[in-house]
């Protein structure tokens, strides 16, 4: 399920007094990892990529488009359009590829377990 990091709908109560400086915490990803499994965080820069290579990874990957826009294509032919702030979890062995990315696209990727 895709979300957007900048979306405040349903998170901040409309009556919140901005002068009180309150904070709201929302868990975006929570996954237990078996002992000894790595966690890797990457910045990925795409420069107008089109029809990238297919991936079938042995680990989960949480990705967010930090700048620009992109489209991911799934093994079943479905396409997910993403823009700055959009994030999603790619489950292990979910076949996917970057169908296209803007020249200024910057991703944040969190790899959970695997190799």
């Amino acid at each position: 399920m895709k979300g957007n990091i900048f979306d405040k709908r349903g998170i901040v109560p409309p009556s919140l007094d901005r002068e009180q400086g309150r904070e709201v915490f929302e868990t975006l990803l929570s996954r237990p990892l078996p002992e000894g499994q790595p966690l890797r965080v990457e910045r990925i820069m795409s420069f107008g990529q089109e029809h990238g290579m297919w991936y079938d990874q042995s680990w989960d990957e949480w990705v967010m488009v930090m700048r620009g826009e992109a489209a991911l294509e799934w093994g079943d032919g479905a396409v997910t359009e993403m823009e700055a702030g959009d994030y999603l979890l790619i489950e292990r062995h979910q076949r996917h590829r970057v169908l296209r990315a803007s020249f200024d696209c910057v991703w944040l990727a969190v790899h959970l377990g695997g190799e």
Side-chain angles (χ1 to χ4, degrees), residues 39-56:
L39 171 88
R40 188 174 77 247
V41 179
E42 291 180 329
R43 177 182 65 166
I44 303 168
M45 294 180 283
S46 298
F47 299 99
Q49 182 177 358
E50 292 186 6
H51 304 287
M53 64 183 279
W54 285 100
Y55 293 97
D56 183 353

Side-chain angles (χ1 to χ4, degrees), residues 16-29:
L16 183 66
D17 183 353
R18 294 184 188 278
E19 298 299 318
Q20 293 180 3
R22 296 184 183 161
E23 294 179 305
V24 176
F25 296 84
E26 179 184 18
T27 300
L28 301 178
L29 175 68

Side-chain angles (χ1 to χ4, degrees), residues 15-113:
S15 62
L16 183 66
D17 183 353
R18 294 184 188 278
E19 298 299 318
Q20 293 180 3
R22 296 184 183 161
E23 294 179 305
V24 176
F25 296 84
E26 179 184 18
T27 300
L28 301 178
L29 175 68
S30 178
R31 282 282 212 242
L33 291 178
E35 188 173 331
Q37 289 292 302
L39 171 88
R40 188 174 77 247
V41 179
E42 291 180 329
R43 177 182 65 166
I44 303 168
M45 294 180 283
S46 298
F47 299 99
Q49 182 177 358
E50 292 186 6
H51 304 287
M53 64 183 279
W54 285 100
Y55 293 97
D56 183 353
Q57 301 163 168
S58 61
W59 59 87
D60 294 335
E61 181 180 7
W62 183 88
V63 295
M64 179 169 52
V65 173
M66 300 294 294
R67 181 175 64 202
E69 50 192 35
L72 293 176
E73 182 178 14
W74 308 101
D76 65 0
V79 174
T80 301
E81 300 287 339
M82 299 182 73
E83 59 185 27
D86 287 344
Y87 60 86
L88 57 80
L89 178 67
I90 303 170
E91 301 275 347
R92 66 190 69 209
H93 296 298
Q94 188 173 17
R95 193 165 182 257
H96 67 284
R97 70 176 176 167
V98 176
L99 182 62
R100 65 182 171 279
S102 60
F103 191 79
D104 64 342
C105 189
V106 177
W107 305 78
L108 178 66
V110 180
H111 300 271
L112 303 157

